[in-house]
Amino acid sequence: MVTVNVGTLHNVLDHVYGAFMHRTKISPLFFSRGWGGSKLELLERMIKQLFPEVVGQNCPPTLVKPVWNTVWETKTACLREGVFRTPCDEQLLSALPPECHNARVAFLTPKFVPPQKMACVIHLAGTGDHTFERRLRLGGPLLKENIATMVLESPFYGQRRPMMQFGSKLLCVSDLLLLGRATIEEARGLLHWLDSEEGFGKMGVCGLSMGGVHAAMVGSLHPTPVATLPFLSPHSAVVAFCEGILQHATAWEALREDLAAQKAAMTLEEVRERMRNVLSLTDVTRFPIPKNPEAVIFVAATDDGYIPKHSVMELQKAWPGSEVRWVTGGHVSSFLLHNGEFRRAIVDGLNRLEWKESPS
């Protein structure tokens, strides 16, 4: 009788899915327009300046002011959608495409529960998650635990996608850093709004894959303790684009040609090294330890073809007190099958926080 290693099957599924999505000519590759020129240089400077600031002290988030309209309501729940101007500073705003300047957010709350007795978790987008639906489905069952769900539409995604961009395939490397930096500013602004304007008793931030990296950064930089819940996430974008399956979805030749036009001819290996250096700016182990590391729970997959185990462990090691939970599966199968584990991590992470004002 032939025995089959289930873990291997999960890993193979990731590679089959990756080959279908990224090696076929169904859609263009990531970064087909090159590095991003002066925008990339600006972002590299800005992000390097960020680190000395955050080690000793967190820069306060900018308060956002969403304008809301009600999508639907039932006897027990209400879904609203809001729009607000991205809180990025002028330098970042000028680098962002105009389509990205206004942020959109969905807000699912239980009715008849005062905010100080409620928690709210902001759900950030993974690669390719252009709509609110999947994250609202993840958060919906948590309403009965008095946990509200806020879903942020990422810059470069959904209605914020630049006209020339096809699907999720960002045109330039600078777009990836812009997407991350703007997402972090917007999520921190929303946490500040939930805290100071709405008075929520507890708050958290979660995300899947790329969204998990951004959630870890937001949790690290936020000035007060929040539950931080990265799911199926690497410690850095280097892992995704230089080691995992997404390396096959990257336009290495276009990046080489872009560099050759500016400097001397380079080998593909030198181009990959340049990519590693740029994406090392997204290494979350360089960020400060969150205010309450016990409220950090990573959920990782045992046979993930996109995110190797060592990457998850590096971040857990950098944040002593945080927890890693393993689910059996690959990146794709865990994304589909383990929503219950993600929800459990959200509930447990929030339970490790103190109520802002003890609910009576």
Side-chain angles (χ1 to χ4, degrees):
M1 187 176 81
V2 178
T3 58
V4 178
N5 183 322
V6 175
T8 304
L9 282 179
H10 287 300
N11 196 273
V12 166
L13 175 61
D14 282 351
H15 284 271
V16 169
Y17 176 81
F20 176 73
M21 290 301 293
H22 308 312
R23 298 194 196 194
T24 60
K25 301 299 181 191
I26 292 173
S27 68
L29 298 170
F30 279 99
F31 317 133
S32 58
R33 298 281 182 91
W35 297 90
S38 59
K39 282 187 186 180
L40 182 59
E41 290 159 25
L42 165 75
L43 284 157
E44 286 182 285
R45 272 200 314 277
M46 287 179 78
I47 293 170
K48 280 171 183 163
Q49 287 163 4
L50 185 70
F51 290 115
E53 284 175 32
V54 297
V55 171
Q57 159 192 8
N58 297 118
C59 43
T62 307
L63 183 66
V64 296
K65 297 188 182 298
V67 176
W68 299 100
N69 74 293
T70 302
V71 179
W72 55 255
E73 55 185 314
T74 65
K75 288 178 182 173
T76 56
C78 176
L79 178 66
R80 291 183 287 162
E81 285 185 10
V83 179
F84 61 94
R85 181 84 165 165
T86 186
C88 295
D89 63 29
E90 285 307 313
Q91 267 191 313
L92 266 180
L93 208 58
S94 62
L96 279 168
E99 295 93 337
C100 297
H101 288 191
N102 288 325
R104 290 175 66 241
V105 66
F107 192 22
L108 180 63
T109 54
K111 287 167 80 170
F112 312 120
V113 182
Q116 66 270 22
K117 295 187 180 182
M118 245 197 295
C120 183
V121 175
I122 298 176
H123 294 238
L124 303 180
T127 304
D129 193 353
H130 287 264
T131 67
F132 296 139
E133 277 71 26
R134 186 199 63 78
R135 287 171 282 164
L136 286 173
R137 280 201 304 276
L138 178 61
L142 298 173
L143 288 171
K144 62 181 182 293
E145 313 256 4
N146 290 341
I147 298 170
T149 291
M150 186 174 263
V151 180
L152 177 65
E153 182 180 68
S154 278
F156 296 90
Y157 276 23
Q159 292 185 24
R160 306 177 73 186
R161 182 167 59 86
M163 207 184 328
M164 301 299 290
Q165 180 185 308
F166 184 91
S168 310
K169 301 299 172 65
L170 303 173
L171 296 172
C172 300
V173 176
S174 59
D175 292 349
L176 184 67
L177 296 183
L178 272 171
L179 186 162
R181 186 68 197 273
T183 297
I184 291 159
E185 294 301 318
E186 290 164 11
R188 291 181 72 226
L190 288 167
L191 284 171
H192 188 31
W193 180 83
L194 287 164
D195 185 11
S196 62
E197 299 293 299
E198 295 295 288
F200 272 78
K202 294 183 183 185
M203 294 168 304
V205 58
C206 74
L208 222 139
S209 198
M210 174 182 78
V213 178
H214 295 153
M217 291 174 174
V218 171
S220 159
L221 295 175
H222 202 65
T224 58
V226 292
T228 304
L229 307 148
F231 304 144
L232 312 179
S233 303
H235 74 285
S236 160
V238 171
V239 177
F241 285 96
C242 300
E243 296 176 26
I245 289 169
L246 287 182
Q247 66 184 301
H248 306 299
T250 300
W252 297 109
E253 194 56 45
L255 292 169
R256 189 177 70 81
E257 286 168 11
D258 190 17
L259 284 174
Q262 303 166 43
K263 305 169 188 168
M266 299 181 85
T267 65
L268 281 174
E269 196 43 55
E270 289 170 319
V271 175
R272 285 175 184 266
E273 195 51 39
R274 165 78 172 129
M275 180 71 96
R276 283 180 175 275
N277 288 336
V278 170
L279 296 186
S280 69
L281 296 170
T282 67
D283 184 345
V284 187
T285 63
R286 297 172 62 187
F287 281 64
I289 297 171
K291 296 290 182 290
N292 182 348
E294 283 79 21
V296 178
I297 302 175
F298 304 98
V299 180
T302 52
D303 298 280
D304 195 321
Y306 286 76
I307 314 299
K309 285 181 182 178
H310 75 82
S311 182
V312 181
M313 298 314 295
E314 277 184 53
L315 191 46
Q316 198 261 341
K317 186 178 166 190
W319 289 357
S322 61
E323 181 187 351
V324 177
R325 297 179 178 180
W326 296 96
V327 294
T328 303
H331 201 74
V332 175
S333 59
S334 298
F335 170 81
L336 298 171
L337 300 175
H338 290 300
N339 281 342
E341 294 299 324
F342 301 146
R343 289 188 197 106
R344 194 165 298 122
I346 289 171
V347 171
D348 292 347
L350 289 166
N351 282 340
R352 294 173 189 181
L353 294 175
E354 298 292 326
W355 287 97
K356 193 171 63 174
E357 294 168 16
S358 204
S360 51

